[in-house]
Amino acid sequence: MSFTVIIPARLASTRLPNKPLADIHGKPMVVRVAERAALSGAARIIVATDHASIEDACRQHGIDVRMTRADHPSGTDRIAEVAQALGLAANEVVVNLQGDEPLIDPALLAACASRIGPDVPMATCAHPLTDAGEAFNPNVVKVVLDKAGRALYFSRATIPWARDAFAQSKDILPPGYQPLRHIGLYAYRNDFLQAYPRLDVSPLEGIEALEQLRVLWHGHPIAVHVTGAAPAPGVDTPEDLERVRAQFV
């Protein structure tokens, strides 16, 4: 399947200033992300930014980059602007890859894109959780699926709830119970990507602070590719950056 990867990149970051430009063995992080994306088989890789310094860094390393408005409320709105400017067809697939994922598995991008179809306008990924601490951690987003592999619900709560087992203990996950952790990678059919910014904010996303619940609340399906292992974590803190740098030695 042909798909385009668009990487939204903003300079502002509370925990790691100038994060997209953080050096990883001679190249800015956003460039490292684009290089990983290029291994996915995507038709094109584009960085979407509102800051000239990111634009300059990308151009210096031969990365296609487009400037966007500075007032977008989310990365999804930013990539929608770029997809529209590119004149992508309604049925073309766009993958939204965050600019702080320099260790992303390129195969995951292709797998996510492959879940888009005529009746599936959006897709994402998940992996099984095996640790009880993560299952009960509200910072770890969980998802439950229907028999077709589409999302029924996303939550910070522990879902599904193993009623009888958890009444006895929450220290271990019971046999046969394997919740799924949501991975924040998304693919969209372009016509839906263009419509998404116009969807009303849903009560559920306000409660859970999970933007993807807007899609389910409005009745649109989200297909979920389940991968066997957790992907390498992204970069949010200086400690994360040092860990990633060590991988490029």
Side-chain angles (χ1 to χ4, degrees):
M1 168 183 284
S2 176
F3 61 96
T4 294
V5 176
I6 303 180
I7 304 168
R10 294 177 63 247
L11 200 64
S13 175
T14 55
R15 288 185 286 181
L16 187 59
N18 301 328
K19 182 165 66 170
L21 299 178
D23 179 79
I24 300 178
H25 285 269
K27 293 181 181 180
M29 178 160 56
V30 68
V31 171
R32 292 289 188 185
V33 175
E35 290 176 342
R36 291 291 288 177
L39 301 175
S40 68
R44 67 179 98 181
I45 315 295
I46 300 168
V47 171
T49 187
D50 60 358
H51 204 281
S53 62
I54 296 177
E55 180 188 31
D56 291 344
C58 289
R59 295 200 187 283
Q60 288 172 15
H61 289 87
I63 304 298
D64 193 356
V65 59
R66 306 298 168 97
M67 292 292 289
T68 69
R69 293 177 5 224
D71 60 347
H72 285 304
S74 73
T76 309
D77 298 88
R78 193 175 305 283
I79 70 168
E81 179 188 340
V82 172
Q84 184 177 46
L86 290 172
L88 298 183
N91 65 347
E92 289 195 55
V93 177
V94 177
V95 173
N96 180 357
L97 174 60
Q98 297 304 306
D100 57 4
E101 299 279 354
L103 299 178
I104 190 71
D105 179 4
L108 199 59
L109 306 184
C112 187
S114 72
R115 296 301 305 272
I116 300 295
D119 59 341
V120 180
M122 181 172 169
T124 190
C125 300
H127 73 86
L129 282 173
T130 58
D131 179 76
E134 289 189 325
F136 286 97
N137 183 348
N139 294 317
V140 176
V141 178
K142 276 72 68 175
V143 59
V144 291
L145 311 182
D146 66 12
K147 67 178 183 179
R150 298 178 182 181
L152 289 170
Y153 192 67
F154 297 86
S155 183
R156 297 182 181 277
T158 308
I159 55 172
W161 183 259
R163 186 194 64 175
D164 296 338
F166 291 158
Q168 301 299 317
S169 173
K170 298 183 182 67
D171 295 327
I172 60 172
L173 300 181
Y177 172 80
Q178 198 162 59
L180 294 174
R181 171 184 170 251
H182 175 234
I183 299 169
L185 175 70
Y186 297 99
Y188 307 87
R189 199 175 60 222
N190 187 42
D191 57 353
F192 181 74
L193 176 62
Q194 298 306 320
Y196 178 89
R198 298 190 295 273
L199 293 177
D200 292 334
V201 174
S202 73
L204 291 176
E205 70 178 289
I207 293 168
E208 294 260 18
L210 296 174
E211 186 180 304
Q212 63 270 33
L213 288 173
R214 183 185 314 181
V215 177
L216 298 183
W217 191 81
H218 283 279
H220 302 287
I222 302 175
V224 181
H225 168 74
V226 179
T227 184
V235 176
D236 289 318
T237 66
E239 293 76 19
D240 293 337
L241 180 59
E242 290 307 313
R243 171 184 47 78
V244 167
R245 282 171 172 163
Q247 300 295 312
F248 283 84
V249 175

